[in-house]
Amino acid sequence: MPDTSADRAAAVESRLMEVRERIANACAKAGRAPDEVSLIAVTKTYPASDVRILSRFGVTDVGENRDQEAAPKADECRDLPLTWHFVGQLQTNKARSVVRYADVVHSVDRVRLARSLGARARAEERAVRCLVQVDLDPGAIEGAVGPRGGADPRDVEEIAAAIDAEDGLSVGGVMAVAPLGGDPGAAFARLNSIAVSLRARYHQASMVSAGMSGDLESAVENGATHLRIGTALLGDRGPIVG
Ligand SMILES: *Cc1c(COP(=O)(O)O)cnc(C)c1O
């Protein structure tokens, strides 16, 4: 029997409380103030009704990774006081649609994408904060883009400069997905050091988007300012690729 909406709201509320407690505990352990770390609820594969529930319980930031799903969902939720984050790999031809609803794009990993986002943001009269997505997978082939996207760490400065050159865009910081397998701590520490050097040049580049349901403690310990949490809030998405 399907959940009633009251059941669903209660389940999401209790998961949200658990996640907030995990974040608070991780901050305490790392000696960080809880308000240094923001929660982005990743709502991919879940309906707009779940976004409404999260909003009702005080969530202000939501993330999506596919434009085809995100665009109609954001439209359905446009009455809610939400900041929308686009966190998925982004094709240049989706830039026009994404800038219409996304306040922050976490996945800028090439100069060409920065230029498209800039042109589209100006056309739509939107201001978009852009994070440079970094590929931290040490096993990746030299020069190749990893399966989860992201720029080679050596290209971060060039991509940030391309974002900064576009009216309508601002350099917001960096984002990464921990490499599969192994200890995410080393990867997150590396991301944080990239963030520190970027911030020396772009003072507004304060965001370090790192940490998901399985590794948020490690991300908090290593300087994350924004956690992207899906499963721990809304449940298993099942065998969906991407
Ligand atoms: C799905 C997704 C998340 C959330 O992952 P969970 O493990 O479900 O918390 C975070 N970041 C990106 C880029 C994602 O695609």
Side-chain angles (χ1 to χ4, degrees):
M1 210 166 75
D3 278 1
T4 68
S5 63
D7 286 346
R8 180 61 176 159
V12 170
E13 184 185 23
S14 90
R15 284 172 170 275
L16 179 60
M17 278 163 48
E18 278 170 36
V19 167
R20 285 181 171 148
E21 193 172 318
R22 277 177 69 189
I23 297 170
N25 289 340
C27 285
K29 205 174 155 206
R32 300 183 64 194
D35 66 1
E36 287 176 42
V37 180
S38 303
L39 168 66
I40 299 169
V42 178
T43 50
K44 65 188 184 198
T45 78
Y46 287 97
S49 54
D50 279 356
V51 178
R52 280 186 187 279
I53 291 169
L54 289 162
S55 174
R56 188 166 4 120
F57 293 124
V59 168
T60 56
D61 291 77
V62 294
E64 286 282 334
N65 74 334
R66 285 168 198 268
D67 176 62
Q68 305 89 296
E69 181 185 351
K73 209 184 287 184
D75 194 47
E76 259 183 83
C77 296
R78 67 181 177 279
D79 57 311
L80 301 175
L82 293 170
T83 297
W84 287 82
H85 299 254
F86 190 86
V87 304
Q89 279 186 265
L90 181 52
Q91 288 171 306
T92 315
N93 64 5
K94 300 285 187 202
R96 178 197 287 275
S97 174
V98 166
V99 300
R100 287 187 178 134
Y101 57 87
D103 303 290
V104 187
V105 174
H106 290 230
S107 45
V108 181
D109 59 2
R110 55 201 192 277
V111 167
R112 204 165 90 83
L113 178 57
R115 292 193 182 132
S116 298
L117 286 167
R120 298 312 184 187
R122 289 189 295 279
E124 302 289 331
E125 299 184 346
R126 295 270 298 162
V128 182
R129 207 168 175 197
C130 291
L131 311 189
V132 181
Q133 183 179 349
V134 187
D135 181 3
L136 296 170
D137 194 341
I141 300 154
E142 180 94 351
V145 173
R148 303 173 120 182
D152 187 301
R154 290 168 298 190
D155 296 333
V156 168
E157 285 287 342
E158 186 192 3
I159 296 163
I163 294 167
D164 190 55
E166 297 293 329
D167 282 334
L169 305 186
S170 61
V171 183
V174 293
M175 178 273 229
V177 177
L180 290 169
D183 170 23
F188 290 145
R190 177 137 194 242
L191 181 70
N192 197 36
S193 76
I194 294 168
V196 168
S197 46
L198 200 64
R199 216 176 297 138
R201 186 169 307 188
Y202 306 101
H203 299 287
Q204 76 283 19
S206 57
M207 292 177 68
V208 182
S209 168
M212 318 201 313
S213 295
D215 56 19
L216 74 86
E217 284 82 4
S218 173
V220 169
E221 193 182 325
N222 290 286
T225 64
H226 289 73
L227 307 170
R228 307 179 310 269
I229 309 296
T231 311
L233 288 173
L234 296 172
D236 258 318
R237 291 180 296 272
I240 291 161
V241 181

